[in-house]
Structure formats: C-alpha cells, structure tokens
Amino acid sequence: MYPLFELAKIVDLDLLYRIPSKGPTPVDGTEQAMDVLASPEVKLFASSDVGERSLLAVLCTDGSLVVRYSTGAANPIVHRLDWSSAVTSKIVAMTFDPSGTWLLCAIENSYLFVLPVLCTMDSLVKVNQIWDVGDVSEVFTCKVAKAMPTSLVWWNTFSDVYIGIIGNRSGELVFIDLLKGKQVGIVRLSEQVQQMELVNNNEQSSVYLLITTSVGVQYKLLLERKYEASPRRTLAEKFTYFLRQSTSESILNASEVNVHFRPVRLKPCSGRITSEYAKSRYLLAGHNVKDGLFQIYDNMNMEAPLFMYRLPSNCQQVLLTDRVMHVVSDSQLLILSNQQSETSVTISSNKVDKSWRMK
C-alpha cells in the first residue's frame, strides 16, 4: 500500500523502451550497457478491475501494446505484448470484456478483433476458451463501408449474448454479435459519437448506454430491462411475452414502434453526466462547471440528487470514491473530502433521498 494521497508511477514507458546495446559491456562489468529508444506517446488505454485482479492496457503511438497486470498481493507485471503490428497499429478504439479476460479492439475499417490479454499475462489462469488464447482472433468483418469508429463498448446481455457496440463518426451505434460475427442492430444519431458508457442500476434490472457526442450533447439509450421492472402492459403485450417465455426485453428484439428503446436527449441543466461507482453502488453524476456543482443521482431518471458537492472553479474531470474526490483543475490534481465539500440547495425535502449518504 502507498501512503495516503501519494502519487505512484505504475507504468514507465521509458523503462520499457530500454534495450541492451550490441557494443561492449562497461569497464567494471557490473551491468550491460543500455540503449534508450525514444518512448512513444499514449494513444489509447483501457482498464479492468474484477475482484483482486487489475489490468491496464496502453496502446502507444508506435502500435505497441503495454499491459500492466496485478492480482492480490503479488508484484505487478508489466509487458510489451508482441502481436501483429498490422492489427495493433490500426486500433482506434478498445475495451475489456466484463470479466477482464479479452480486449476487444476496433480498427479503422470497423473490423473487430479480440486479444487474449489475461491469458498472455497469466498462463495459469483458467478461462472459457471461446476464442484463441494464444493469438489475435478476428470476430467481425465489416462488409459494408462504415465511418471510422470513435468509441467501443462490450455488453453482455441478461441472456449471456456477447455484444460489441461501435460508435462512429457518422453518429451510428452498430451492434455486433461477437460470437456469430454479424451485425444485429443499428441506431443513428445526428452527431458524431465521442464516448459511450454502460450504466447499470443497482437492482441489476436494466442496462443503459450513456452517449456523449462531439458537440457535447448527451443521450441515454435503454439497452435491456427485465420484464418485472417494465411499466404496466396491455393484455396483448403480456400474452406475447408469455409465448416467448422471456423474462426481459432488449433493444436487439424490440419492434420499431417501441419508444422505450430510442435515444433520449438528456437535459443540460445538470451539466455533463458521467457514471460513477462508490460505496458498492452504481451512481450517476452531473457536473455543472459554470455553477461549480457536482450532483449525484441514483438512477437514469435523475429526478432529484441524492446529494451535492461544491467544487472549485475550472474543474474539468472528477472521480468520485467512497470518501474523497479526485479532481483535475488547471493542470493540478486536487483531493477533496466528500464530507467537507457537501453543500445544500433549495430542494423539496420529500424529493431528496436521505437514506444513503457518503460519510
């Protein structure tokens, strides 16, 4: 463990790009001379935390993939992985699967590949070998020209279907069945997709996609919800679901007239919306930079905040944890106490949930 609030370097690219020189060893003979290559810059990254296992994948501008792997009390391992540069050099978006086993990568022409990162870093780990555990696997070939991908999400449905969602420059959300290798759906927006996040509720009864476009507009898109959590239905709808013997409904099989599975534009009054996780709960946060308010909500309805924090001016990025917030402001990293930053506003007392608070 590191001392409280001490920054620790976990990946040193300069160290990884040192190679043994071909010339003579130093006079004292104690160590071999090293040549230092110019380390590249970071192009993309993806991370996964499952239990005590943590993975960080960093794609560099030279096409190399650097992975840091740690589990339990064992010392972390950092490796440059040697896979085909014809694939890694063209990666424009990547994400881990929920189990942290596979790294899903999209390249410029919207082809999808799966990299067995966990098996490569830990040969003793046991995984479901649905793809090659020793090499890159191509899982989707785009037969129709698509715009360049800008964001990528891995979604495991309630029925254990592996879906890759590609957001691209044309504003398309393309749904790919990763096992069958085919497109199973598409949703179109009017702006370029910049970022996507999966948002679960704490009852595990629904999954949303939070979408941010290049012009700052945000949408929520319902992907799936369990039948028990759905609104009251007509007798005909209940009979249809009875015949299907389905316990959930999904955007993958919803009819075009079903308005529940259409993108809904979020109101900008709460500022930029992000997904957070603290105190073992899934949360949403609205950051209004102008007013300096950081509001925490319990679900996608965002009717009333659970609590609010007052932040310093010019805060651009905020990470909520159980007791503190990590805030980037004017190229500085600030550590703020949740309790000391909490503020009150004029909100009807019957709308504010006081049953759960950060303490």
Side-chain angles (χ1 to χ4, degrees):
M1 294 294 292
Y2 298 102
L4 188 61
F5 306 146
E6 177 181 327
L7 292 178
K9 183 183 294 185
I10 61 173
V11 176
D12 189 342
L13 292 180
D14 291 333
L15 182 62
L16 289 173
Y17 277 77
R18 293 177 183 175
I19 60 174
S21 67
K22 296 180 179 179
T25 59
V27 177
D28 58 11
T30 56
E31 61 179 282
Q32 188 177 13
M34 305 292 285
D35 285 339
V36 180
L37 299 178
S39 58
E41 297 180 354
V42 174
K43 179 181 178 181
L44 296 170
F45 74 91
S47 62
S48 171
D49 291 282
V50 180
E52 294 185 339
R53 190 172 66 215
S54 176
L55 280 162
L56 172 65
V58 177
L59 180 68
C60 301
T61 50
D62 67 344
S64 61
L65 188 68
V66 177
V67 178
R68 180 184 188 270
Y69 171 67
S70 63
T71 178
N75 291 328
I77 302 172
V78 180
H79 286 316
R80 287 173 59 191
L81 302 184
D82 296 324
W83 275 313
S84 172
S85 60
V87 174
T88 57
S89 63
K90 297 179 181 179
I91 294 175
V92 291
M94 62 185 191
T95 185
F96 278 100
D97 77 302
S99 70
T101 303
W102 312 97
L103 184 67
L104 180 64
C105 302
I107 63 175
E108 297 170 357
N109 56 8
S110 293
Y111 283 36
L112 294 182
F113 293 85
V114 166
L115 280 60
V117 171
L118 179 59
C119 299
T120 304
M121 300 298 292
D122 187 348
S123 59
L124 299 180
V125 69
K126 295 182 179 180
V127 303
N128 184 9
Q129 299 185 19
I130 51 180
W131 291 291
D132 190 341
V133 296
D135 202 356
V136 178
S137 298
E138 183 177 311
V139 295
F140 175 68
T141 301
C142 187
K143 298 179 180 179
V144 179
K146 297 283 187 183
M148 181 180 292
T150 54
S151 186
L152 186 63
V153 166
W154 185 310
W155 167 39
N156 281 4
T157 71
F158 292 145
S159 54
D160 288 329
V161 178
Y162 300 162
I163 300 295
I165 307 176
I166 307 172
N168 62 32
R169 290 183 175 179
S170 296
E172 296 174 327
L173 307 174
V174 184
F175 294 77
I176 307 298
D177 186 319
L178 299 177
L179 290 180
K180 295 180 179 180
K182 67 177 184 179
Q183 180 176 320
V184 292
I186 188 169
V187 174
R188 292 180 174 85
L189 303 176
S190 57
E191 304 99 13
Q192 172 182 318
V193 176
Q194 183 181 63
Q195 184 180 2
M196 300 184 298
E197 295 179 83
L198 284 182
V199 179
N200 296 276
N201 67 349
N202 292 293
E203 293 75 25
Q204 298 296 312
S205 60
S206 66
V207 181
Y208 281 85
L209 188 66
L210 179 61
I211 308 153
T212 304
T213 69
S214 58
V215 295
V217 176
Q218 291 188 291
Y219 297 86
K220 66 177 181 179
L221 176 64
L222 177 62
L223 298 180
E224 190 173 26
R225 62 183 176 185
K226 292 184 178 178
Y227 178 66
E228 294 81 5
S230 302
R232 182 176 300 174
R233 303 185 177 281
T234 66
L235 183 60
E237 290 174 320
K238 291 180 180 180
F239 182 69
T240 300
Y241 276 89
F242 173 76
L243 292 178
R244 292 180 180 177
Q245 296 182 343
S246 175
T247 59
S248 65
E249 57 180 350
S250 167
I251 191 173
L252 301 177
N253 50 35
S255 64
E256 294 183 359
V257 297
N258 192 332
V259 297
H260 300 295
F261 293 97
R262 296 178 183 175
V264 177
R265 183 168 178 167
L266 297 177
K267 298 179 180 180
C269 57
S270 297
R272 181 183 173 89
I273 307 300
T274 58
S275 63
E276 305 286 343
Y277 186 80
K279 288 289 186 178
S280 302
R281 289 173 66 105
Y282 295 102
L283 302 166
L284 287 174
H287 183 200
N288 192 317
V289 178
K290 181 179 179 181
D291 297 333
L293 285 179
F294 192 63
Q295 307 176 55
I296 306 301
Y297 300 88
D298 192 41
N299 53 53
M300 266 294 186
N301 293 330
M302 302 180 66
E303 295 175 350
L306 294 173
F307 42 86
M308 295 186 178
Y309 297 123
R310 179 72 66 180
L311 302 180
S313 58
N314 300 323
C315 291
Q316 300 302 318
Q317 298 182 19
V318 184
L319 174 63
L320 180 71
T321 65
D322 290 355
R323 297 184 180 276
V324 298
M325 291 176 288
H326 301 267
V327 179
V328 176
S329 176
D330 294 332
S331 300
Q332 292 182 325
L333 177 61
L334 308 178
I335 310 293
L336 304 181
S337 164
N338 292 348
Q339 185 176 10
Q340 296 298 322
S341 302
E342 192 167 357
T343 186
S344 60
V345 294
T346 305
I347 298 179
S348 176
S349 59
N350 63 344
K351 289 186 178 181
V352 181
D353 183 357
K354 298 293 185 179
S355 61
W356 180 79
R357 300 172 69 85
M358 296 274 193
K359 294 183 179 180

